[in-house]
PDB file of all heavy atoms in Angstrom:
ATOM      1  N   MET A   1      55.824 -67.630  18.886  1.00 46.00           N
ATOM      2  CA  MET A   1      57.123 -67.054  19.222  1.00 46.00           C
ATOM      3  C   MET A   1      56.907 -65.748  19.982  1.00 46.00           C
ATOM      4  O   MET A   1      56.107 -64.907  19.578  1.00 46.00           O
ATOM      5  CB  MET A   1      57.936 -66.778  17.948  1.00 46.00           C
ATOM      6  CG  MET A   1      59.307 -66.180  18.208  1.00 46.00           C
ATOM      7  SD  MET A   1      60.220 -65.815  16.686  1.00 46.00           S
ATOM      8  CE  MET A   1      60.558 -67.465  16.092  1.00 46.00           C
ATOM      9  N   ALA A  55      70.834 -91.659   9.681  1.00 97.00           N
ATOM     10  CA  ALA A  55      70.880 -93.086   9.960  1.00 97.00           C
ATOM     11  C   ALA A  55      69.899 -93.850   9.074  1.00 97.00           C
ATOM     12  O   ALA A  55      70.119 -95.026   8.759  1.00 97.00           O
ATOM     13  CB  ALA A  55      70.565 -93.340  11.433  1.00 97.00           C
ATOM     14  N   THR A  62      78.320 -96.873  10.920  1.00 96.00           N
ATOM     15  CA  THR A  62      78.684 -97.016  12.322  1.00 96.00           C
ATOM     16  C   THR A  62      78.411 -95.699  13.055  1.00 96.00           C
ATOM     17  O   THR A  62      78.243 -94.651  12.420  1.00 96.00           O
ATOM     18  CB  THR A  62      80.173 -97.344  12.457  1.00 96.00           C
ATOM     19  OG1 THR A  62      80.939 -96.228  11.953  1.00 96.00           O
ATOM     20  CG2 THR A  62      80.522 -98.608  11.678  1.00 96.00           C
ATOM     21  N   VAL A 117      56.941 -75.395 -16.820  1.00 98.00           N
ATOM     22  CA  VAL A 117      57.819 -76.379 -16.183  1.00 98.00           C
ATOM     23  C   VAL A 117      57.758 -76.204 -14.677  1.00 98.00           C
ATOM     24  O   VAL A 117      57.783 -75.076 -14.165  1.00 98.00           O
ATOM     25  CB  VAL A 117      59.287 -76.225 -16.656  1.00 98.00           C
ATOM     26  CG1 VAL A 117      60.204 -77.172 -15.880  1.00 98.00           C
ATOM     27  CG2 VAL A 117      59.406 -76.485 -18.157  1.00 98.00           C
ATOM     28  N   ALA A 132      69.049 -68.535  -8.339  1.00 95.00           N
ATOM     29  CA  ALA A 132      69.765 -67.384  -8.898  1.00 95.00           C
ATOM     30  C   ALA A 132      70.375 -67.730 -10.249  1.00 95.00           C
ATOM     31  O   ALA A 132      70.427 -66.884 -11.154  1.00 95.00           O
ATOM     32  CB  ALA A 132      70.845 -66.922  -7.920  1.00 95.00           C
ATOM     33  N   PHE A 178      48.167 -72.041  -4.954  1.00 92.00           N
ATOM     34  CA  PHE A 178      48.018 -73.057  -5.997  1.00 92.00           C
ATOM     35  C   PHE A 178      47.436 -72.442  -7.269  1.00 92.00           C
ATOM     36  O   PHE A 178      47.918 -72.709  -8.376  1.00 92.00           O
ATOM     37  CB  PHE A 178      47.131 -74.203  -5.502  1.00 92.00           C
ATOM     38  CG  PHE A 178      47.073 -75.365  -6.452  1.00 92.00           C
ATOM     39  CD1 PHE A 178      47.961 -76.416  -6.325  1.00 92.00           C
ATOM     40  CD2 PHE A 178      46.134 -75.411  -7.478  1.00 92.00           C
ATOM     41  CE1 PHE A 178      47.921 -77.507  -7.211  1.00 92.00           C
ATOM     42  CE2 PHE A 178      46.078 -76.481  -8.353  1.00 92.00           C
ATOM     43  CZ  PHE A 178      46.979 -77.531  -8.224  1.00 92.00           C
ATOM     44  N   LEU A 190      57.685 -70.802 -15.293  1.00 98.00           N
ATOM     45  CA  LEU A 190      58.471 -71.745 -14.495  1.00 98.00           C
ATOM     46  C   LEU A 190      58.083 -71.616 -13.030  1.00 98.00           C
ATOM     47  O   LEU A 190      57.978 -70.502 -12.497  1.00 98.00           O
ATOM     48  CB  LEU A 190      59.961 -71.456 -14.668  1.00 98.00           C
ATOM     49  CG  LEU A 190      60.953 -72.290 -13.841  1.00 98.00           C
ATOM     50  CD1 LEU A 190      60.876 -73.758 -14.228  1.00 98.00           C
ATOM     51  CD2 LEU A 190      62.382 -71.759 -14.032  1.00 98.00           C
ATOM     52  N   PRO A 232      62.363 -83.367 -11.502  1.00 98.00           N
ATOM     53  CA  PRO A 232      63.099 -83.369 -10.232  1.00 98.00           C
ATOM     54  C   PRO A 232      64.498 -82.777 -10.440  1.00 98.00           C
ATOM     55  O   PRO A 232      65.099 -82.913 -11.513  1.00 98.00           O
ATOM     56  CB  PRO A 232      63.191 -84.860  -9.873  1.00 98.00           C
ATOM     57  CG  PRO A 232      62.274 -85.568 -10.824  1.00 98.00           C
ATOM     58  CD  PRO A 232      62.167 -84.716 -12.042  1.00 98.00           C
ATOM     59  N   ASP A 284      74.843 -83.351   2.384  1.00 98.00           N
ATOM     60  CA  ASP A 284      74.300 -82.096   1.862  1.00 98.00           C
ATOM     61  C   ASP A 284      72.787 -82.012   1.971  1.00 98.00           C
ATOM     62  O   ASP A 284      72.169 -81.073   1.452  1.00 98.00           O
ATOM     63  CB  ASP A 284      74.724 -81.904   0.395  1.00 98.00           C
ATOM     64  CG  ASP A 284      76.214 -81.673   0.263  1.00 98.00           C
ATOM     65  OD1 ASP A 284      76.797 -81.005   1.135  1.00 98.00           O
ATOM     66  OD2 ASP A 284      76.814 -82.174  -0.716  1.00 98.00           O
TER      67      ASP A 284
END
Side-chain angles (χ1 to χ4, degrees):
M1 180 182 291
T62 64
V117 175
F178 187 92
L190 176 64
D284 292 323

